[in-house]
Each structure stands twice: as structure tokens, then as C-alpha cells.
Amino acid sequence: MSTRPARGYAAAQAKAPLAPFTFERRQPGARDVEIEIAYCGICHSDIHQARDEWGGAIFPMVPGHEIAGQVRAVGSEVSRYKAGDWVGVGCMVNSCRTCENCREGLEQFCIPGANFTYNSHDRDGTPTYGGYSDHIVVDEDFVLRIRHDPKQMAGVAPLLCAGITTYSPLHHWNVGPGSKVGVVGLGGLGHMGVKLAHAMGAEVVLFTRSPQKLDDGKRLGADAVVISSDEAAMQVHHRRLDFILDTVAAVHDVNPYLGLLRRDGVHCLVGVPDRPLSVIGGGLIMQRRSLAGSLIGGIAETQQMLDFCATHAIVSDVEEIPIQKVNEAYDRVVRSDVRYRFSIDMKSLEAAGK
Ligand code: NAP
Ligand code: ZN
Ligand code: ZN
């Protein structure tokens, strides 16, 4: 297989700062699309993995699965994309395509295991390297079309993970006009959850630890914002919510939220704390509530989400940074000091000294 050099930033080992890294990517095969990356969002999962907080990390690691860019070249059998098209790549670059989940468009639950964009292996067994890099080569079936104005690409990139991870559960649990939805945590995922639930026509209540985010919550589309330490304010929503989307990245107490759900209500985790949560059974038994989880979304649903966002003029609120600031940005994400996603401008890779 012929390859050519790619430039990016990688963590050499767990907790090592990210640093410039040159590596090889395959030349596009018959079904591949080669994409020049314009922007890549920083997801909290990038940090969990680069710091090996979930175990089993593969180094050197080039993180990044919120990729927006422009097609540079396509293989001879590619039919849907051509040079110059604006496209996205999310958390997956391949899957088995034959298991029951792949056949139903739920590639994220591929039974032998999806091939993730980084910290994983591709179908041919080579390690995958993510979007903190100048280009990427991906099978056309895992490439998404972006219909937003190209000027919006910095804010579009985070839709490829933060957007689909919040859209998919809202969609699966039939959120729409008449629903009352809670969103817990106003970070990268949470702010997309608020925007999307609002655009789907739901009444949205945002729960945050951070009083300084109150005005932003309303601006982003929440009908009410509750500071989660305020018990009286929490009780206003007792047994009133149909669905709660919990985006918190750390161990936290889910029990006060269970009581806010109506009969048959669902509390869905999308955040991935590194230690177990404890749940009081009574909070589930009473009113037949469910505690659930959701992982990104399938490829067809990701396209549906991107189209929904283009139609509703939705992008992520981003702070653009050059790649040289990535380590500082990681620390700021952990401190919740970003409104609400960093988006790395990949032109910065060309900057002198890298
Ligand atoms: P983020 O930007 O850091 O947002 C997380 C938010 O959680 C923070 O803004 C904060 O909101 C709240 N929070 C943080 N620490 C907390 C604590 N100790 N107690 C209570 N609340 C706390 O992270 P993100 O990129 O949105 O990712 C969120 C989580 O989802 C991460 O664990 C990530 O790995 C995971 N994730 C899962 C999927 C999936 O497919 N399921 C996909 C992507 C990411 P407030 O200040 O408003 O309280
Ligand atoms: Zn992510
Ligand atoms: Zn499969």
C-alpha cells in the first residue's frame, strides 16, 4: 500500500503534552476520499483518551473526531464526492457493514467493533490517526456532506461528535413539540443539546453548576436555567420532565435528577465519567423510570443531523485556536473554561516552527 506523509499533533504517551508529529497515511484507494482538514473540534473524549483515562489507549495518538474539510482527491470508484466538496468525518472511519447493527445503520454498535477515527485500528489493522492533522483518507461511506456556508466551518466541525451525540438520543426518545427536556451540563455536548432540543420544538430546562452560564443558557435556547445546587429550584421541575440528557464528564450525583422525571421518563447518560455512578433504586422504581445511555449516532443519522443543522442555521459556539495552543485548551476544557467548544484552525500547522 502506498502512503504519503501527514503532519499533525500527537500525544506520545498518556498525559504527555501533544507535540508536532509526522506520520504516514495511505494514498486514497478506489473507494477512498482524501480530505484536507480545515477545522477539528476538541471533544472532552479527546482528553480522556490522550490521558488514557479509559484505559487501553494506543500511542502515539493523534486525537480529533470532529473534522470538517474539503475533498482534495477521490478514488476511481467514489461516486458521491468530488474535489472541492465540503465534508465531515466524525468518530468512525469504518465498520464491518454486515452485522445486524451495521445493516440497521447503527455502525457505532458494530458487533465486531466499529473502526474509530483515532485510538483504534482500521479494517486493514493499521492504527487510526485523527483530525489534529493536515489531511485524512476515509472510505466514502463514512464521509458526510456539509451543506452549511463554508465560512461557518469552524462551528460545523463540532457537530460531527457533539452534534450527533446529542441529536441521536433526542431523536431516538422522540423529543419534539410538547416534550419537556432537561439538559445537564453546559459544555460542548450540553450546548448542542440545548440548541437541538429547542430546534426540535421541545421545552428545554438546562441544569448547570455554574451561575455564570445562566444568560448563555437562555441565549442558546433554554426556556429555564436551574443552578443544580439550588434544591428549591430543582424541585420546581419535580416529576415534570419527559427526558433528561446528561452530558457531565465527571462522577456526579444522578439521583436528584431521577425525581424530576415523569412516569416512564428516561435519564440518558452521554457523558463518560471514569468511575462508577451510584443510583438509588427507588428513584427508578417509582414512576417506572429508566436510566439509559447513548453512543454518538450512525452514519445516516449523522447526515440527517448535519442537514437538520443546516436547515435550522445551527452551528456550535466555538473559540478558534491554532494547534500550538492545544495543550492549554485541554486544561481549559477540564476547567469548563470555554464557550463552548474549541475548534482548531488547521492552517496553523503551516505556521513557522509549528
Ligand atoms: P465538556 O465540554 O467538558 O462539558 C462537560 C460539562 O459537564 C461541563 O461544562 C460542566 O457543565 C459539567 N461538569 C463538568 N465536571 C462536572 C462535575 N464534576 N460535576 C458536575 N458537572 C460537571 O465535555 P464534552 O466534550 O461536552 O463531553 C462531555 C462528556 O461526554 C465527556 O465525558 C465525553 O467523553 C463524553 N462524550 C460522550 C460521547 C458519547 O457518544 N456518549 C460523545 C462525545 C463525548 P456545567 O459547568 O454547566 O455544570
Ligand atoms: Zn467526541
Ligand atoms: Zn458491524
Side-chain angles (χ1 to χ4, degrees):
M1 184 177 55
S2 62
T3 62
R4 76 178 188 85
R7 285 188 305 151
Y9 262 54
Q13 58 192 351
K15 300 189 177 65
L18 273 63
F21 177 62
T22 302
F23 57 104
E24 294 293 315
R25 291 210 192 264
R26 67 177 186 268
Q27 297 276 13
R31 300 179 45 79
D32 283 333
V33 178
E34 182 178 300
I35 301 160
E36 183 173 342
I37 300 175
Y39 287 93
C40 185
I42 296 180
C43 177
H44 206 121
S45 302
D46 299 346
I47 304 171
H48 289 307
Q49 292 177 88
R51 297 182 174 176
D52 199 14
E53 291 169 358
W54 296 339
I58 302 167
F59 294 100
M61 184 190 300
V62 178
H65 57 207
E66 295 186 333
I67 299 168
Q70 224 170 352
V71 175
R72 193 153 61 188
V74 297
S76 57
E77 290 172 22
V78 169
S79 58
R80 278 178 286 150
Y81 299 102
K82 59 178 191 320
D85 288 351
W86 283 96
V87 294
V89 178
C91 299
M92 297 178 285
V93 289
N94 222 327
S95 72
C96 88
R97 298 150 187 254
T98 56
C99 75
E100 63 184 81
N101 291 340
C102 283
R103 285 203 312 269
E104 285 183 46
L106 296 167
E107 298 88 352
Q108 73 275 32
F109 304 124
C110 175
I111 290 169
N115 305 93
F116 292 99
T117 304
Y118 68 88
N119 194 23
S120 178
H121 292 95
D122 213 330
R123 303 287 300 158
D124 61 7
T126 55
T128 53
Y129 296 113
Y132 299 2
S133 56
D134 58 356
H135 79 282
I136 191 164
V137 179
V138 180
D139 185 293
E140 78 163 324
D141 292 343
F142 285 74
V143 175
L144 288 312
R145 183 169 300 283
I146 295 174
R147 297 189 162 87
H148 289 75
D149 185 325
K151 288 196 278 298
Q152 297 180 297
M153 282 308 140
V156 170
L159 301 180
L160 275 301
C161 177
I164 184 59
T165 300
T166 49
Y167 180 92
S168 180
L170 293 169
H171 189 230
H172 178 74
W173 275 283
N174 300 314
V175 164
S179 317
K180 274 196 78 164
V181 173
V183 175
V184 186
L186 191 64
L189 266 53
H191 94 290
M192 290 312 308
V194 169
K195 287 188 187 210
L196 290 167
H198 174 74
M200 289 172 181
E203 188 180 334
V204 183
V205 183
L206 168 68
F207 298 90
T208 172
R209 302 165 302 170
S210 314
Q212 71 278 14
K213 293 182 185 171
L214 212 144
D215 290 344
D216 279 354
K218 294 223 165 117
R219 176 180 58 78
L220 293 163
D223 298 282
V225 180
V226 173
I227 307 306
S228 48
S229 54
D230 181 343
E231 282 179 32
M234 292 283 285
Q235 282 316 306
V236 169
H237 301 280
H238 182 67
R239 284 202 205 160
R240 298 194 57 207
L241 303 179
D242 300 293
F243 182 75
I244 296 177
L245 184 66
D246 183 338
T247 72
V248 174
V251 172
H252 61 293
D253 188 2
V254 293
N255 295 294
Y257 294 105
L258 299 178
L260 307 188
L261 290 168
R262 288 178 201 266
R263 194 199 71 217
D264 292 324
V266 174
H267 184 107
C268 178
L269 300 173
V270 287
V272 193
D274 57 354
R275 282 175 292 120
L277 303 176
S278 78
V279 176
I280 299 168
L284 294 174
I285 291 163
M286 302 304 289
Q287 306 300 318
R288 197 166 58 191
R289 298 168 177 124
S290 303
L291 181 61
S294 185
L295 176 71
I296 48 175
I299 292 298
E301 194 178 36
T302 305
Q303 187 63 63
Q304 192 184 91
M305 175 280 305
L306 283 170
D307 295 346
F308 178 89
C309 288
T311 304
H312 290 84
I314 293 174
V315 292
S316 175
D317 285 23
V318 293
E319 180 177 335
E320 286 184 42
I321 55 160
I323 187 88
Q324 292 79 0
K325 291 214 165 148
V326 68
N327 293 303
E328 196 182 305
Y330 272 24
D331 292 338
R332 286 184 52 199
V333 172
V334 172
R335 293 199 303 269
S336 297
D337 175 24
V338 52
R339 296 186 173 191
Y340 279 92
R341 205 54 145 184
F342 286 110
S343 189
I344 304 170
D345 180 352
M346 284 304 158
K347 280 197 301 295
S348 59
L349 266 175
E350 291 159 19
K354 284 188 271 176

